[in-house]
Amino acid sequence: MTSTAASSTTGPSPATSKSRTRHFLKDTDLSPAEQAEVLDLAARMKAAPYSVQPFAADGNGRKTVAVIFDKTSTRTRVSFATGVADMGGNALIINPGEAQIGHKESVEDTAKVLERMVSTIVWRTGAHSGLVAMAENSRVPVINALCDDYHPCQLLADLLTIKEHKGALQGLTMSYLGDSANNMANSYLLAGVTAGMNVRIAGPEGYLPSPEIIAAAEDRAVETGGSVLVTVDPAEALLGADVVATDTWVSMGQEDEKEARLRLFRDYSVDEAAMKLAAPDAVVLHCLPAYRGYEIAAGVIDGPQSVVWDEAENRLHAQKALMAWLMHRSGLAVVDGLG
Ligand code: CP
Ligand code: NVA
């Protein structure tokens, strides 16, 4: 499998129109068939890491990917930087506070500058509306590297990991416990049903997915044969689950609420007792960073059912496939093997 940058432009603008450009701002931006295609490409690229080169300098192909962080990161930063390099490009990492965006310059103006220089814009930020504004003003793909509402790149890695360990996604039951109003809960719900999974979400009253997210997930589940269960009862969510997932109870920006949150979510810990309710061969996911003794017991995350290190590695493979796929579907590169 090979790929090249599309090379029909003579000026700085990419050879595509805004209407053709594909972005990945939330999990349901990929249809079920497209999600499966990205996951298949990820598996192929994991086996042959340098086989797809959408950012290699070729004609007027663009090499640089802007990777902007308004919040801190380890995995997202390293996986995007490594993935872009693997695919012949250069990742320009912009750390929190280093650019004008958000304080001296609007998102719209930033997008209009970046789209003339880079091949893809990756952005970790707060409000999802910022990502929408970035995408509306960009002819190059914009990727959500986590916002307050979604973490869709993480879910591509999670699904790839589940597929590797379970063989298929359709029909599996995936249960998430903890802060069920956060970005990870929303993404588990939306990405899980897109893959045809039965997704169960458990958290305390007031910390459950919004009616809009639940409705979007239910619509998608009708299409795929998946299902949605949202409950305050962790046992109801866990019973017989094939996949058990959790996330920190204190997301970035919520540090002031830490003490209250540790009390609020204590019945939703993924500990040894919780795991007894899941299927005996259930796998455990955590996007990391993890807080042992709170949302997950040390004996679980460091135990035999944990696949969290595969999950972390798969950020690299899944995001490489996503970037290549978006470039291909936007008409900015050609990836052999994609229609
Ligand atoms: N899981 C994840 O996104 O990790 P980082 O915050 O370290 O990027
Ligand atoms: N919910 C967490 C995810 C970290 C990867 C946060 O937003 O901080």
Side-chain angles (χ1 to χ4, degrees):
M1 182 184 8
T2 57
S3 77
T4 55
S7 57
S8 57
T9 55
T10 52
S13 298
T16 197
S17 64
K18 257 188 199 122
S19 61
R20 188 170 177 196
T21 307
R22 293 295 303 265
H23 307 286
F24 188 53
L25 309 186
K26 61 181 191 296
D27 308 86
T28 44
D29 286 351
L30 294 178
S31 70
E34 289 172 343
Q35 183 197 68
E37 192 171 47
V38 171
L39 294 174
D40 283 348
L41 183 60
R44 286 158 58 196
M45 291 173 70
K46 186 170 180 175
Y50 308 105
S51 57
V52 178
Q53 298 282 309
F55 304 131
D58 177 12
N60 289 316
R62 303 254 189 98
K63 286 184 74 72
T64 299
V65 173
V67 190
I68 309 167
F69 290 96
D70 295 345
K71 300 179 180 182
T72 54
S73 167
T74 297
R75 275 146 294 274
T76 305
R77 179 189 161 122
V78 175
S79 54
F80 272 109
T82 308
V84 171
D86 282 1
M87 296 196 294
N90 166 57
L92 172 63
I93 305 285
I94 301 174
N95 287 310
E98 283 183 354
Q100 320 282 28
I101 186 171
H103 56 111
K104 287 190 175 173
E105 193 167 28
S106 68
V107 173
E108 289 80 358
D109 285 1
T110 304
K112 287 174 190 165
V113 173
L114 293 181
E115 66 140 20
R116 288 172 175 249
M117 300 183 194
V118 304
S119 58
T120 295
I121 300 166
V122 178
W123 190 17
R124 168 170 287 195
T125 189
H128 188 254
S129 56
L131 284 151
V132 173
M134 185 77 90
E136 281 173 357
N137 287 280
S138 173
R139 278 170 296 176
V140 299
V142 175
I143 295 175
N144 181 354
L146 178 148
C147 69
D148 292 344
D149 294 333
Y150 310 100
H151 196 0
C153 289
Q154 180 68 54
L155 256 293
L156 289 178
D158 286 29
L159 295 179
L160 180 62
T161 308
I162 298 164
K163 238 181 133 183
E164 287 173 347
H165 286 270
K166 295 283 179 192
L169 300 172
Q170 179 80 41
L172 291 180
T173 295
M174 178 163 71
S175 302
Y176 170 93
L177 262 61
D179 181 0
S180 298
N182 77 4
N183 42 20
M184 285 303 300
N186 289 342
S187 282
Y188 273 116
L189 199 43
L190 295 173
V193 294
T194 297
M197 300 174 86
N198 304 308
V199 185
R200 303 180 189 160
I201 303 282
E205 205 64 68
Y207 294 85
L208 295 169
S210 69
E212 292 76 23
I213 294 285
I214 294 172
E218 284 173 343
D219 282 352
R220 195 37 83 84
V222 168
E223 238 180 282
T224 63
S227 68
V228 173
L229 173 74
V230 175
T231 176
V232 294
D233 179 0
E236 185 185 14
L238 283 164
L239 207 61
D242 301 298
V243 180
V244 178
T246 188
D247 181 26
T248 180
W249 294 339
V250 187
S251 284
M252 290 180 270
Q254 299 174 334
E255 290 78 6
D256 290 351
E257 303 167 28
K258 182 174 173 184
E259 290 313 314
R261 284 176 162 271
L262 298 189
R263 279 194 302 278
L264 197 62
F265 295 115
R266 68 184 165 207
D267 293 338
Y268 297 87
S269 182
V270 175
D271 55 16
E272 287 83 352
M275 288 307 299
K276 284 204 171 71
L277 298 172
D281 62 348
V283 295
V284 175
L285 296 173
H286 190 309
C287 66
L288 307 173
Y291 300 86
R292 289 170 175 79
Y294 294 100
E295 78 274 7
I296 192 159
V300 174
I301 192 168
D302 300 318
Q305 288 173 276
S306 170
V307 294
V308 302
W309 311 116
D310 291 345
E311 179 188 7
E313 179 191 331
N314 280 337
R315 292 294 302 278
L316 170 66
H317 309 297
Q319 288 160 194
K320 284 172 66 177
L322 173 70
M323 287 187 280
W325 188 91
L326 290 171
M327 290 286 285
H328 179 92
R329 291 280 172 240
S330 300
L332 296 168
V334 177
V335 176
D336 290 351
L338 293 180

